């Protein structure tokens, strides 16, 4: 059994059926039909999302009366009906109500699409009492509240993106976005955050260059080196070549080093004192409200261990989880200003949805439970009635730790899930969850595009993806967690970056079939320079 969204995608993949449009003179002569057809053929994400929404609400209908003007939503509703193979009956929205009633009776429409004023006019028309509307099982109407005798009505509303949904669903969307936007981070200035990011980048770049120069390479501006020569001199393990190549991209991109064609020129030696001063400047800004000192000290620790990390003689995971402890990970994922902000936003969104009724949540790559814990607390506060929360990770280590950490939450169950694997093969049913949470998990997927398609498959129609991700090249990650990340096979490989940009994420989400995307924080937010975002997307 395929969902309406899957069927619509299949219909488009077969090609736009112009012949069906040509059957209806009123439709083929509509002013915007050619532009709409062109946008659908090209796969324009916004247009596809709008028409797919109409297809979803009209799914399973054999005859539809369209009584809206054939522009905007009226045209999209008509095309969605034709694409689904249903018959369309057109009604002049400015015609006499009696003619519309006659068209409903004569055409045998099961569903009528009207505006609310037209519904009121039909209901008030004396001929309504004598009209046989036994075939009419539903009226979909845009606008205010309306009544039409015993006929069931569903009020629709357009979002800012033009996508139609029932008012209940539209209200849910607006409620969730309002809950997210209501989360505030007090006591921080954007200028302070931007200054910290600049100082941290300087410290990391200095450490990168110092680590390479310690191996006797890139110490002279007059000498250019092949990348392979640099990797060999620095004793970089083959599995870490891509990471250090990104160092060189960062160093040349920030003009610390210079390119000479495909080669890289050296620079004046960077001393230990310079590295120490750069890290001290970053630490001073960080500890003024951005997070625990342990976080900046963790990145400095990685910087001091770069020779061993590059060679593979040391493991980055042991620096993040020394002796299996999660103290550093907790500081990194729980107790930074940006983590608190984004985790609180996810919790606000899930809480707002849980307040409306039963909710099935799947968290992918839950790890240490930093995001989970905030969501659990929000759900527990509201009673968590009829919530099923599936906490998953690719590693059973995190599952054991989480069960010990969160024993009091009876609405949580635990399981292994690999975002790089197939859903069915792992026992996960398509369309079985209402919300998927992935906090810093999908950047470690091999192929983000394929993973997003599988995530969308898991969601029920109208379901939510709440995605926390870095959206710039985090230099501090290049000297730490990058040494334990999965090699990318998607846009990151093509662009030579560790993380997708905001624009790349939005493109990937649209390509996977998600619509109604929303990204926070905006550019003027105090934490915006950190370039970590919550991306909200709907199936």
């Amino acid at each position: 059994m395929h969902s309406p969204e899957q069927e619509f995608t299949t219909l488009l993949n077969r090609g736009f059926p112009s012949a069906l449009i040509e059957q209806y003179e009123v439709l083929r002569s509509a002013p915007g039909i050619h532009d709409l057809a062109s946008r659908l053929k090209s796969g324009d994400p916004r247009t596809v999302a709008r028409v797919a929404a109409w297809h979803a609400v009209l799914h399973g209908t054999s005859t539809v009366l369209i009584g809206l003007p054939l522009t905007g939503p009226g045209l999209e509703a008509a095309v969605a009906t034709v694409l689904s193979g249903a018959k369309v009956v057109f009604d002049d929205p400015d015609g006499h109500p009696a003619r519309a009633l006659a068209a409903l009776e004569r055409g045998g429409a099961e569903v009528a699409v009207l505006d609310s004023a037209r519904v009121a006019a039909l209901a008030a028309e004396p001929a309504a009492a004598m009209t046989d509307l036994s075939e009419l099982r539903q009226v979909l109407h845009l606008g205010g509240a309306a009544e039409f005798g015993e006929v069931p009505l569903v009020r629709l509303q357009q979002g800012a993106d033009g996508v139609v949904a029932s008012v209940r669903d539209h209200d849910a969307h607006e409620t969730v976005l309002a809950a997210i936007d209501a989360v505030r981070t007090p006591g921080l200035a954007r200028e302070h955050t931007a200054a910290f990011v600049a100082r941290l980048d300087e410290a990391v770049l200095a450490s990168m260059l110092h680590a390479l120069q310690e191996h006797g390479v890139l110490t002279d501006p007059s000498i250019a080196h092949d990348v392979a020569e640099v990797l060999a001199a620095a004793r970089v393990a083959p599995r870490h070549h891509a990471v250090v190549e990104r160092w060189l991209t960062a160093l040349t991109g920030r003009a610390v080093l210079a390119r000479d064609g495909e080669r890289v020129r050296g620079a004046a030696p960077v001393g230990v004192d310079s590295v120490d001063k750069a890290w001290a400047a970053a630490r001073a800004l960080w500890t003024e409200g951005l997070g625990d000192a342990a976080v900046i000290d963790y990145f400095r620790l990685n910087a001091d261990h770069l020779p061993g990390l590059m060679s593979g003689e040391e493991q980055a995971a042991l620096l993040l989880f020394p002796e299996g402890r999660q103290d550093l990970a907790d500081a990194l994922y729980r107790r930074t200003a940006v983590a608190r902000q984004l985790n609180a936003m996810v919790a606000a969104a899930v809480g707002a949805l849980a307040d409306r009724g039963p909710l099935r949540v799947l968290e992918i790559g839950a790890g240490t439970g930093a995001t989970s814990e905030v969501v659990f607390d929000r759900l527990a506060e509201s009673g968590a009635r009829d919530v099923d929360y599936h906490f998953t990770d690719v590693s059973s280590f995190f599952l054991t730790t989480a069960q010990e950490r969160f024993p009091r939450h009876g609405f949580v169950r635990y399981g292994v899930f690999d975002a790089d694997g197939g859903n069915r093969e792992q026992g996960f049913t398509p369309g079985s969850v209402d919300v998927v949470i992935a906090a810093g998990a999908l950047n470690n997927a091999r192929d983000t595009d394929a993973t997003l398609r599988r995530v969308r498959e898991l969601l029920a129609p109208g379901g939510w993806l709440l995605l926390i991700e870095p959206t710039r090249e985090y230099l501090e990650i290049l000297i730490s967690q990058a040494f334990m990340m999965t090699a990318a096979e998607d846009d990151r490989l093509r662009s030579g970056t560790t993380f997708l940009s905001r624009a790349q994420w939005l493109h990937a989400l649209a390509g996977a079939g998600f619509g109604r995307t929303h990204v926070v924080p905006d550019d003027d937010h105090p934490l915006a320079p950190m370039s970590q975002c919550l991306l909200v997307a709907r199936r």
Side-chain angles (χ1 to χ4, degrees):
M1 180 70 68
H2 295 293
S3 71
E5 291 84 356
Q6 290 172 316
E7 290 190 9
F8 182 75
T9 301
T10 301
L11 288 170
L12 281 185
N13 289 340
R14 291 175 183 165
F16 188 82
S18 300
L20 291 176
I21 301 296
E22 291 296 318
Q23 293 178 10
Y24 297 95
E25 180 180 355
V26 65
L27 189 55
R28 68 172 181 261
S29 61
I33 185 63
H34 298 296
D35 180 61
L36 179 61
S38 176
R39 289 176 181 275
L40 285 173
K41 289 177 183 178
S42 67
D44 176 64
R46 294 181 182 276
T47 305
V48 170
R50 293 197 302 271
V51 179
W54 277 111
H55 176 78
V57 298
L58 296 169
H59 178 70
T61 305
S62 61
T63 304
V64 178
L65 180 137
I66 303 293
L68 297 175
L70 287 182
T71 58
L75 185 60
E76 291 159 3
V79 168
T81 305
V82 172
L83 285 174
S84 69
K87 176 186 174 183
V88 186
V89 177
F90 293 97
D91 172 56
D92 179 1
D94 297 320
H96 194 282
R99 296 187 64 180
L101 290 168
L104 282 169
E105 182 178 56
R106 186 173 56 251
E110 297 173 274
V111 174
V113 180
L114 308 164
D115 67 32
S116 300
R118 185 68 166 169
V119 174
L122 297 187
E125 171 59 35
M130 298 175 286
T131 304
D132 180 7
L133 299 177
S134 57
E135 297 293 326
L136 185 63
R137 57 181 175 84
Q138 191 176 69
V139 172
L140 307 176
H141 64 104
L142 286 163
E147 293 184 1
F148 190 18
E150 300 299 318
V151 179
L153 271 66
V154 175
R155 183 181 168 201
L156 303 179
Q157 192 164 342
Q158 280 185 287
D161 52 7
V163 174
V164 296
S166 69
V167 166
R168 174 176 170 79
D169 184 63
H170 177 81
D171 288 348
H173 192 83
E174 298 304 318
T175 298
V176 169
L177 296 190
I180 290 171
D181 291 339
V183 176
R184 294 287 180 265
T185 300
L188 289 172
R190 192 184 189 284
E191 294 76 12
H192 179 87
T193 307
F196 162 73
V197 170
R199 299 293 81 76
L200 179 61
D201 283 355
E202 290 170 3
V204 173
L205 291 168
S207 291
M208 288 175 175
L209 184 54
H210 178 72
L212 295 171
Q213 289 180 334
E214 278 196 314
H215 290 86
V217 69
L218 297 173
T219 58
D220 188 339
S222 67
I223 300 176
H225 303 269
D226 292 327
V227 171
E229 180 187 349
V230 174
L231 297 174
R235 298 178 57 244
V236 180
R239 67 179 182 274
H240 297 320
H241 279 186
V243 175
V244 177
E245 286 174 11
R246 286 173 185 163
W247 289 13
L248 296 176
T249 299
L251 288 163
T252 54
R254 307 296 180 92
V256 177
L257 297 176
R259 289 276 182 185
D260 187 352
E262 295 297 316
R263 312 182 88 198
V264 180
R265 290 194 170 276
V270 176
V272 174
D273 287 348
S274 296
V275 173
D276 289 343
K277 288 179 182 177
W279 280 102
R283 191 180 194 275
L285 290 168
W286 174 260
T287 53
E288 292 179 9
L290 290 171
D292 289 3
V295 173
I296 197 74
D297 292 343
Y298 157 71
F299 288 119
R300 176 61 199 269
L301 177 68
N302 279 264
D304 291 341
H305 285 257
L306 286 178
L309 293 172
M310 285 192 294
S311 68
E313 294 169 355
E314 294 191 58
Q315 296 182 41
L318 296 181
L319 296 179
L320 182 57
F321 301 101
E323 300 176 346
R325 300 193 314 273
Q326 295 191 20
D327 310 53
L328 284 175
D330 283 347
L332 182 62
Y333 300 127
R334 280 178 164 83
R335 300 197 296 273
T336 67
V338 70
R340 289 194 298 268
Q341 173 82 17
L342 296 177
N343 289 340
M345 287 178 165
V346 170
V350 175
L353 288 169
D355 290 344
R356 298 179 66 86
L359 196 67
R360 300 163 298 174
V361 182
L362 169 66
E363 185 173 0
I364 296 172
T368 65
T371 302
S372 323
E373 184 171 28
V374 185
V375 178
F376 293 167
D377 289 346
R378 169 61 176 82
L379 292 173
E381 287 172 8
S382 60
R385 294 177 297 276
D386 212 358
V387 173
D388 173 47
Y389 196 109
H390 200 173
F391 180 111
T392 72
D393 198 273
V394 70
S395 170
S396 57
F397 165 78
F398 289 117
L399 303 182
T400 302
T401 304
Q403 290 178 66
E404 295 171 353
R405 190 165 199 161
F406 309 119
R408 68 186 183 90
H409 298 302
F411 54 83
V412 183
R413 55 194 175 98
Y414 301 88
V416 173
F417 180 78
D418 182 359
D420 287 325
N423 294 328
R424 292 175 179 84
E425 292 82 351
Q426 299 182 78
F428 287 79
T429 305
S432 60
V433 296
D434 304 305
V435 179
V436 170
I437 299 171
L442 298 195
N443 62 62
N444 200 35
R446 282 195 300 268
D447 185 340
T448 304
D449 299 322
T451 298
L452 285 174
R453 288 194 293 272
R454 289 192 294 271
V455 167
R456 185 181 180 278
E457 181 186 55
L458 289 172
L459 286 167
W464 300 73
L465 172 60
L466 304 174
L467 184 65
I468 294 177
E469 284 294 340
T471 56
R472 65 173 172 86
E473 190 71 316
Y474 264 52
L475 301 186
E476 62 269 32
I477 298 300
L478 285 179
I479 63 168
S480 55
Q481 287 106 308
F483 286 102
M484 54 185 183
M485 291 176 70
T486 303
E489 298 174 4
D490 52 26
D491 222 18
R492 293 166 295 171
L493 177 63
R494 295 184 285 274
S495 61
T497 57
T498 308
F499 301 110
L500 295 176
S501 67
R502 181 183 291 211
Q504 286 173 316
W505 271 115
L506 292 174
H507 180 76
L509 287 165
F514 284 95
R516 308 183 78 177
T517 52
H518 180 73
V519 186
V520 288
D522 53 29
D523 288 339
D524 60 358
H525 190 277
L527 292 172
M530 298 295 292
S531 299
Q532 284 206 55
C533 295
L534 169 61
L535 297 106
V536 181
R538 301 287 302 278
R539 170 171 175 170

